[in-house]
Amino acid sequence: MMKRMFAGSTLLAALLVMAGCSLAPTYEKPDTSAPTAFKELAPAWKDGSWKTAQPSEEMTRGEWWTIFNDAALNALEQQALDANQDLKAATARVGEARALNQSARAGMFPNIDAGVGATRQKTSAASLGLPSGTNVAPQTLYRAQVGFSYEVDLFGRVASTVDAAKADTQRSEALFRSVQLALQADVAANYFALRELDAEAEVLTQAVDLREQAWQLMQVRFKEGAIGELDLSRAEAELETARSEAMTVSRLRAVSEHSLAVLLGKSPAEFSMAPNPLQPVSLRIPPGLPSSLLERRPDIAAAERAMAATNARVGVAKSAFFPSLTLTGSMGAESSSFGDLFKAGTRTFLLGPLAGTALSLPLFDGGQRKGELARVRAQYEEDVAKYRQHVLTAFREVEDNLSELRILEQQTAVQAKAGQASSKASHLAQLQYDEGAVTYLEVIDAERSALQTRRAAVQLQGSQAAATVNLVRALGGGWDGSTL
């Protein structure tokens, strides 16, 4: 008997020593082929006007939009952070992940419960060693007891579950920052789009005014017989065309304003913004080294944490092939009378098998555990592929916006020359028409070309502003110190 107890105690001691041994594979971030420098970075931009990680002490970290030095944009960004519904949903998802993490950590501690109750039972004569046929009276027992159970983490199942939940929480927090950055960028992009439309509206308003004056002058000259009806009709057609184009811009502006209102967490009826034509945005943003992009992009951080969580779940799936050890027991008081329940002599205790342990060894499950392990391993490989794809996409987005800004800078200079030339051509055409050297059709063509070049210049300014915002977004924001 003593030998069996010694052997059982030795086995229990050995299992306890093994407690906490994790079966999860050693986690390492997969290698990514990060280039040494961005291909599309113009040499002149290497000493840009924006420094990425040196905000002033009074500035809230993460407020990258302040580089535009626009008070209206600053106010809109704050409104969006306070009221946007997508951001609130992301915040709730972070709270959910943190709660799940707390639930997983509870597995590291014993479960203790207490209860009071009564049972009615009849014991057999044989179990009491009495002769067959002896009548044993039924009895009522009252019990008050405290019970506990604790899973000894022999092969790291609990620890791996906690690691997975922790990584899931970190992933959720990174996804929150990704939603936050996307919201900030969308607000800035919509704001600059709205101002670009204001600038286009200003150009078209001036064009309408000039063409209305020209049409009125043509009416006078027509009445005097200086011109024919064809020139008068052409002047009227150009006037109405300009008015139509102005209405198109007005329609687009209304839609853009409605989109901005929703980003701010408001209905379109609650929001309006006074016209404010866009001024050129010529910031040069140094993107830093490509390797730093992997640390700054929240979506990449989220993809990496997803890998870590799945890696931990591989350990959980492996632990299912090995024994599990649960310690159980209860203690309290037991009496046939409720009034005597808490008196001396009513104390009782109960321990599970194997001196308070329940050792479970899986033998056969039809391949369920093997299938679960294969599934988790395949999911890990999927997460690795997704992570690498996120990295490649991030590099592409940065390169796209760098090339766009570099070419837009050159295109803006070329467009400015085209604008000067078209304005001069329009002026000369009008002078020559007044002298009778050219027809009014040539004046219309010159004016139309001048209007198109002015609108194209304004649209290029809008594209520059949008590309600047998109580059900041592709880089992961200015700096990241925001907390929930």
Side-chain angles (χ1 to χ4, degrees):
M1 179 67 178
M2 292 296 293
K3 290 182 178 180
R4 286 198 299 269
M5 291 180 62
F6 178 76
S9 300
T10 302
L11 175 61
L12 177 61
L15 292 173
L16 291 173
V17 169
M18 295 171 62
C21 297
S22 176
L23 297 176
T26 302
Y27 176 69
E28 295 180 357
K29 293 182 182 179
D31 294 332
T32 55
S33 55
T36 57
F38 289 110
K39 170 185 175 182
E40 299 292 346
L41 180 62
W45 292 15
K46 292 182 180 180
D47 185 20
S49 60
W50 180 44
K51 305 303 179 184
T52 58
Q54 299 173 349
S56 59
E57 290 300 323
E58 67 274 9
M59 185 183 298
T60 302
R61 293 179 181 270
E63 295 185 349
W64 55 264
W65 56 88
T66 56
I67 62 174
F68 295 104
N69 195 27
D70 191 320
L73 176 59
N74 296 345
L76 293 175
E77 292 284 0
Q78 189 58 53
Q79 291 178 44
L81 293 176
D82 291 339
N84 181 266
Q85 298 303 310
D86 288 336
L87 191 60
K88 289 184 177 181
T91 303
R93 287 193 292 271
V94 171
E96 179 184 356
R98 289 175 176 174
L100 290 173
N101 184 33
Q102 181 180 355
S103 297
R105 288 182 60 83
M108 302 173 65
F109 304 94
N111 290 328
I112 301 176
D113 54 49
V116 176
T119 58
R120 180 73 173 171
Q121 67 181 36
K122 178 178 174 63
T123 306
S124 68
S127 65
L128 297 176
L130 299 175
S132 178
T134 303
N135 182 34
V136 179
Q139 60 178 338
T140 300
L141 292 178
Y142 296 90
R143 293 185 179 90
Q145 61 185 23
V146 175
F148 74 90
S149 65
Y150 175 67
E151 179 182 351
V152 181
D153 198 13
L154 293 180
F155 298 97
R157 188 195 72 82
V158 175
S160 294
T161 301
V162 172
D163 290 342
K166 181 180 179 181
D168 281 338
T169 301
Q170 293 169 338
R171 173 178 177 270
S172 182
E173 291 170 348
L175 288 174
F176 167 83
R177 291 192 293 271
S178 184
V179 172
Q180 187 181 56
L181 176 59
L183 170 63
Q184 294 165 350
D186 286 344
V187 169
N190 274 267
Y191 171 74
F192 287 124
L194 199 62
R195 293 189 56 188
E196 180 213 316
L197 290 169
D198 287 339
E200 281 196 68
E202 185 179 55
V203 169
L204 288 169
T205 297
Q206 294 173 359
V208 169
D209 290 342
L210 290 174
R211 290 182 180 182
E212 189 169 9
Q213 294 174 14
W215 181 63
Q216 291 173 353
L217 179 60
M218 297 294 279
Q219 284 182 310
V220 173
R221 298 183 66 182
F222 175 73
K223 290 178 181 179
E224 294 175 349
I227 62 171
E229 187 176 358
L230 178 60
D231 287 348
L232 180 63
S233 298
R234 284 173 174 168
E236 184 178 7
E238 289 301 305
L239 170 61
E240 298 304 329
T241 298
R243 285 174 174 170
S244 177
E245 291 176 348
M247 291 177 183
T248 298
V249 170
S250 179
R251 175 171 51 82
L252 294 175
R253 187 191 190 280
V255 173
S256 182
E257 190 177 63
H258 299 164
S259 298
L260 185 55
V262 173
L263 290 173
L264 302 180
K266 300 178 180 180
S267 68
E270 298 177 287
F271 176 76
S272 62
M273 196 171 79
N276 183 16
L278 178 66
Q279 300 300 317
V281 175
S282 57
L283 290 171
R284 292 178 177 176
I285 300 174
L289 296 176
S291 58
S292 67
L293 189 65
L294 307 185
E295 302 172 0
R296 296 174 56 183
R297 290 264 302 219
D299 58 333
I300 293 179
E304 186 275 326
R305 287 291 83 195
M307 283 190 303
T310 307
N311 184 79
R313 290 192 175 93
V314 172
V316 175
K318 283 184 176 180
S319 68
F321 288 86
F322 296 90
S324 62
L325 177 64
T326 303
L327 306 178
T328 61
S330 65
M331 61 182 299
E334 181 180 83
S335 173
S336 60
S337 172
F338 186 78
D340 297 333
L341 186 59
F342 298 101
K343 292 183 178 180
T346 62
R347 287 176 296 179
T348 182
F349 72 90
L350 176 66
L351 297 178
L354 295 178
T357 69
L359 186 63
S360 174
L361 178 64
L363 296 178
F364 178 75
D365 62 1
Q368 179 181 357
R369 286 164 295 151
K370 185 177 180 181
E372 176 62 15
L373 179 58
R375 183 194 68 81
V376 178
R377 282 175 169 167
Q379 183 179 348
Y380 178 76
E381 294 300 324
E382 178 186 359
D383 289 341
V384 170
K386 287 181 177 179
Y387 172 77
R388 288 176 171 155
Q389 185 61 38
H390 270 88
V391 172
L392 292 174
T393 300
F395 288 145
R396 178 188 60 79
E397 290 175 351
V398 173
E399 296 283 13
D400 286 350
N401 289 287
L402 284 175
S403 64
E404 189 167 0
L405 283 171
R406 175 175 55 80
I407 297 171
L408 279 171
E409 187 173 3
Q410 301 169 0
Q411 188 178 1
T412 300
V414 172
Q415 188 65 36
K417 294 180 180 178
Q420 294 172 359
S422 63
S423 296
K424 183 177 181 180
S426 176
H427 177 68
L428 292 175
Q430 185 64 51
L431 291 178
Q432 292 179 10
Y433 175 73
D434 293 339
E435 295 173 356
V438 298
T439 65
Y440 190 65
L441 181 59
E442 293 179 77
V443 175
I444 291 175
D445 287 340
E447 289 182 347
R448 189 179 298 159
S449 177
L451 177 59
Q452 289 174 347
T453 54
R454 290 182 64 191
R455 289 189 66 183
V458 169
Q459 290 168 354
L460 284 177
Q461 292 175 5
S463 296
Q464 279 185 310
T468 303
V469 171
N470 290 334
L471 177 58
V472 175
R473 179 176 182 173
L475 292 172
W479 48 85
D480 190 8
S482 58
T483 58
L484 286 175

